[in-house]
Amino acid sequence: MSNNYKNLQNSHPCFGGQKNNTGRIHLPVSPGCNIACRFCDRTLNDVEQRPGVASKVLKPEETIELIQKALELCPEITVAGIAGPGDTLATDYALDTFRLIGKHFPNLIKCMSTNGLLLYERADEIIDAGIDSLTVTVNAIDPQIEAKLNKYIIYHGKKIEGEEGARILIENQLKGIEKITSSKTVVKVNTVLVPEINGAHIEETAKKMGELGVSIYNIIPLIPQYELKDCREPTCAEIDEARTKAGKYVDVFRHCQRCRADAAGIPGGKDVGDRIYQRRLGIKETFSHG
Ligand code: CLF
Ligand code: SF4
């Protein structure tokens, strides 16, 4: 186990640090996404508590004051995370924000989340920006299965649908993960569990992630919506079974709160989001962790 992962297990709420009551602030600086998950309803709003939902996209320089305020209201916050509302690598705003955070709050853990389409080609920038923890959402490693979860990708300006798009996405995710795990940045992988689609594929995915050096694996139950609105949400027993199977190959995170892209506070505990993001608006597109 790397030292960096060991440190995060005490200080990062999504890497084991939840036992120490640590918190995070999400900064919704990334507009627009470059893939089309079939369960993702990209609407910004202020009502729902789920990944990908955020209220208002911020400019990188606007985040500094907000972080300051969040730390005053919730000193337990140890992590500044960016998980949407769009993909963090589809634009430069997330990396620009992390560079600013590194200057202003050198002690905060920098946590970034991506769908991984551009991970391989941008891996060096992530490492150079000093990202401490990176989450990649990998919902399948088989293009046939992935195509049932993702409609298309927009790759270097080209829309590529179905299995062909899924194959490119998976290839870039796996190559990108391998590159990052060989650096100081600790990698977590998230998988959205859709029992009818990837339920029987979790073990194979987890095994691959273990082989690639991923530190921790998070299985997130589907929130049925958009094109997958008729799929059912996994039962507690199914989630538990998937986590147990995955646990044979890689550490498993079991406390995910399916946070919004503008969450602030202690996941599942103290919530200061409303006091930080006073203008939670219902506009435009969104994204996140998946
Ligand atoms: Fe945020 Fe995600 Fe970093 Fe955590 S959330 S960017 S890794 S600081 Fe955590 Fe929230 Fe689950 Fe995400 S509980 S949705 S896993
Ligand atoms: Fe993009 Fe995330 Fe939505 Fe998938 S879940 S389409 S990666 S915003």
Short mmCIF file of all heavy atoms in Angstrom, two decimals, residues 32-42 52 85-87 114-115 150 286-290, ligand 2:
data_model
loop_
_atom_site.label_atom_id
_atom_site.label_comp_id
_atom_site.label_asym_id
_atom_site.label_seq_id
_atom_site.Cartn_x
_atom_site.Cartn_y
_atom_site.Cartn_z
N GLY A 32 -20.15 21.20 -19.25
CA GLY A 32 -20.12 20.37 -20.46
C GLY A 32 -19.45 19.03 -20.32
O GLY A 32 -18.44 18.90 -19.64
N CYS A 33 -20.03 18.02 -20.97
CA CYS A 33 -19.44 16.70 -20.92
C CYS A 33 -19.14 16.19 -22.32
O CYS A 33 -19.75 16.63 -23.29
CB CYS A 33 -20.38 15.73 -20.21
SG CYS A 33 -19.54 14.18 -19.84
N ASN A 34 -18.19 15.26 -22.40
CA ASN A 34 -17.79 14.74 -23.71
C ASN A 34 -18.23 13.30 -23.93
O ASN A 34 -17.81 12.66 -24.89
CB ASN A 34 -16.26 14.88 -23.87
CG ASN A 34 -15.53 14.41 -22.63
OD1 ASN A 34 -16.11 13.75 -21.77
ND2 ASN A 34 -14.26 14.75 -22.51
N ILE A 35 -19.02 12.76 -23.02
CA ILE A 35 -19.63 11.46 -23.28
C ILE A 35 -21.12 11.56 -22.90
O ILE A 35 -21.54 12.57 -22.33
CB ILE A 35 -18.94 10.30 -22.51
CG1 ILE A 35 -19.18 10.37 -20.99
CG2 ILE A 35 -17.44 10.29 -22.79
CD1 ILE A 35 -18.66 9.13 -20.25
N ALA A 36 -21.88 10.53 -23.22
CA ALA A 36 -23.32 10.59 -22.96
C ALA A 36 -23.79 9.34 -22.22
O ALA A 36 -24.25 8.37 -22.84
CB ALA A 36 -24.08 10.76 -24.27
N CYS A 37 -23.66 9.37 -20.90
CA CYS A 37 -24.14 8.24 -20.10
C CYS A 37 -25.66 8.17 -20.19
O CYS A 37 -26.34 9.20 -20.11
CB CYS A 37 -23.72 8.40 -18.64
SG CYS A 37 -21.95 8.43 -18.41
N ARG A 38 -26.18 6.98 -20.33
CA ARG A 38 -27.62 6.85 -20.53
C ARG A 38 -28.43 7.10 -19.25
O ARG A 38 -29.64 7.20 -19.30
CB ARG A 38 -27.94 5.44 -21.06
CG ARG A 38 -27.37 5.20 -22.46
CD ARG A 38 -27.78 3.83 -22.97
NE ARG A 38 -27.05 3.47 -24.18
CZ ARG A 38 -27.43 3.79 -25.42
NH1 ARG A 38 -28.54 4.46 -25.61
NH2 ARG A 38 -26.71 3.42 -26.46
N PHE A 39 -27.73 7.18 -18.11
CA PHE A 39 -28.45 7.44 -16.85
C PHE A 39 -28.27 8.89 -16.40
O PHE A 39 -28.64 9.24 -15.29
CB PHE A 39 -27.94 6.50 -15.74
CG PHE A 39 -26.45 6.50 -15.62
CD1 PHE A 39 -25.78 7.54 -15.00
CD2 PHE A 39 -25.70 5.46 -16.15
CE1 PHE A 39 -24.40 7.56 -14.91
CE2 PHE A 39 -24.32 5.45 -16.07
CZ PHE A 39 -23.66 6.51 -15.44
N CYS A 40 -27.67 9.70 -17.25
CA CYS A 40 -27.32 11.05 -16.80
C CYS A 40 -28.27 12.09 -17.37
O CYS A 40 -28.33 12.29 -18.58
CB CYS A 40 -25.90 11.39 -17.20
SG CYS A 40 -25.43 13.07 -16.77
N ASP A 41 -28.99 12.72 -16.48
CA ASP A 41 -29.90 13.79 -16.86
C ASP A 41 -29.17 15.09 -16.53
O ASP A 41 -29.09 15.48 -15.39
CB ASP A 41 -31.18 13.64 -16.03
CG ASP A 41 -32.22 14.65 -16.43
OD1 ASP A 41 -31.95 15.46 -17.34
OD2 ASP A 41 -33.31 14.63 -15.82
N ARG A 42 -28.62 15.70 -17.56
CA ARG A 42 -27.74 16.84 -17.28
C ARG A 42 -28.51 18.13 -17.09
O ARG A 42 -28.48 19.02 -17.92
CB ARG A 42 -26.75 17.00 -18.41
CG ARG A 42 -25.90 15.78 -18.59
CD ARG A 42 -24.83 16.11 -19.56
NE ARG A 42 -24.55 14.99 -20.45
CZ ARG A 42 -23.87 15.12 -21.57
NH1 ARG A 42 -23.45 16.30 -21.95
NH2 ARG A 42 -23.63 14.08 -22.31
N GLY A 52 -23.58 14.79 -10.12
CA GLY A 52 -23.83 15.45 -11.39
C GLY A 52 -24.74 16.64 -11.28
O GLY A 52 -24.79 17.46 -12.19
N PRO A 85 -19.99 20.12 -12.85
CA PRO A 85 -21.07 19.31 -13.42
C PRO A 85 -20.73 18.68 -14.78
O PRO A 85 -21.41 17.74 -15.19
CB PRO A 85 -22.24 20.28 -13.54
CG PRO A 85 -21.62 21.64 -13.57
CD PRO A 85 -20.35 21.55 -12.79
N GLY A 86 -19.69 19.13 -15.48
CA GLY A 86 -19.30 18.48 -16.74
C GLY A 86 -18.05 17.66 -16.49
O GLY A 86 -17.64 17.47 -15.35
N ASP A 87 -17.40 17.17 -17.53
CA ASP A 87 -16.17 16.42 -17.29
C ASP A 87 -15.03 17.38 -17.01
O ASP A 87 -14.86 18.40 -17.69
CB ASP A 87 -15.82 15.51 -18.46
CG ASP A 87 -14.60 14.67 -18.11
OD1 ASP A 87 -14.65 13.99 -17.07
OD2 ASP A 87 -13.59 14.74 -18.82
N THR A 114 -13.11 12.20 -13.06
CA THR A 114 -13.28 12.30 -14.51
C THR A 114 -13.90 11.02 -15.07
O THR A 114 -13.81 9.96 -14.44
CB THR A 114 -11.92 12.55 -15.21
OG1 THR A 114 -12.10 12.56 -16.63
CG2 THR A 114 -10.89 11.48 -14.87
N ASN A 115 -14.50 11.15 -16.25
CA ASN A 115 -14.99 9.95 -16.93
C ASN A 115 -13.85 9.22 -17.64
O ASN A 115 -14.01 8.12 -18.13
CB ASN A 115 -16.12 10.28 -17.91
CG ASN A 115 -15.69 11.23 -19.03
OD1 ASN A 115 -14.57 11.17 -19.52
ND2 ASN A 115 -16.59 12.11 -19.44
N ASN A 150 -23.67 3.81 -22.17
CA ASN A 150 -23.21 5.07 -22.75
C ASN A 150 -23.57 5.13 -24.22
O ASN A 150 -23.28 4.21 -24.97
CB ASN A 150 -21.69 5.15 -22.57
CG ASN A 150 -21.18 6.50 -22.98
OD1 ASN A 150 -20.86 6.73 -24.15
ND2 ASN A 150 -21.12 7.42 -22.06
N THR A 286 -25.31 19.62 -16.86
CA THR A 286 -24.53 19.16 -15.71
C THR A 286 -23.81 17.83 -15.93
O THR A 286 -23.92 17.21 -16.96
CB THR A 286 -25.42 19.06 -14.46
OG1 THR A 286 -24.63 18.60 -13.40
CG2 THR A 286 -26.57 18.10 -14.67
N PHE A 287 -23.07 17.39 -14.96
CA PHE A 287 -22.31 16.11 -14.98
C PHE A 287 -21.77 15.76 -13.60
O PHE A 287 -21.99 16.46 -12.66
CB PHE A 287 -21.15 16.22 -15.97
CG PHE A 287 -19.96 15.40 -15.63
CD1 PHE A 287 -19.76 14.20 -16.26
CD2 PHE A 287 -19.05 15.81 -14.67
CE1 PHE A 287 -18.65 13.42 -15.95
CE2 PHE A 287 -17.94 15.03 -14.36
CZ PHE A 287 -17.76 13.84 -15.03
N SER A 288 -21.03 14.69 -13.46
CA SER A 288 -20.20 14.38 -12.30
C SER A 288 -19.54 13.02 -12.36
O SER A 288 -19.34 12.46 -13.41
CB SER A 288 -20.99 14.48 -11.02
OG SER A 288 -20.44 13.65 -10.06
N HIS A 289 -19.23 12.54 -11.16
CA HIS A 289 -18.77 11.20 -10.85
C HIS A 289 -19.48 10.09 -11.62
O HIS A 289 -18.99 8.98 -11.62
CB HIS A 289 -19.13 10.94 -9.41
CG HIS A 289 -18.04 11.18 -8.45
ND1 HIS A 289 -16.74 11.01 -8.74
CD2 HIS A 289 -18.08 11.54 -7.15
CE1 HIS A 289 -16.03 11.24 -7.66
NE2 HIS A 289 -16.83 11.57 -6.69
N GLY A 290 -20.68 10.29 -12.06
CA GLY A 290 -21.39 9.22 -12.74
C GLY A 290 -22.40 8.55 -11.88
O GLY A 290 -22.61 8.77 -10.77
FE1 SF4 B 2 -20.95 13.02 -18.55
FE2 SF4 B 2 -20.89 12.36 -15.96
FE3 SF4 B 2 -23.22 12.67 -17.17
FE4 SF4 B 2 -21.68 10.60 -17.75
S1 SF4 B 2 -22.63 10.99 -15.73
S2 SF4 B 2 -22.75 11.94 -19.23
S3 SF4 B 2 -19.65 11.42 -17.59
S4 SF4 B 2 -21.79 14.25 -16.89
#
